[in-house]
Amino acid sequence: MKKLWMLIGAVLVLGVAGCNTVAGVGKDTQAAGSAIENAAKK
C-alpha cells in the first residue's frame, strides 16, 4: 500500500512539473510571436 501512495505522489509531482513546462513554452512562443508582429508593423 505504501508503494502505491509513493507512485501516486510521484505521478502528481511529474504532472505538475509537466504543466509548468508546457506553460513556460507557451509564454515563450507568445513572446516570440509578439516580437515578430511588432517587427512586421514597423
Side-chain angles (χ1 to χ4, degrees):
M1 190 69 173
K2 188 174 181 180
K3 289 182 182 180
L4 176 64
W5 284 112
M6 290 184 73
L7 178 63
I8 291 171
V11 169
L12 289 174
V13 167
L14 290 174
V16 169
C19 288
N20 287 336
T21 302
V22 172
V25 170
K27 288 179 183 178
D28 291 342
T29 304
Q30 184 178 11
S34 295
I36 293 170
E37 185 178 342
N38 289 340
K41 286 182 180 179
K42 290 181 181 182

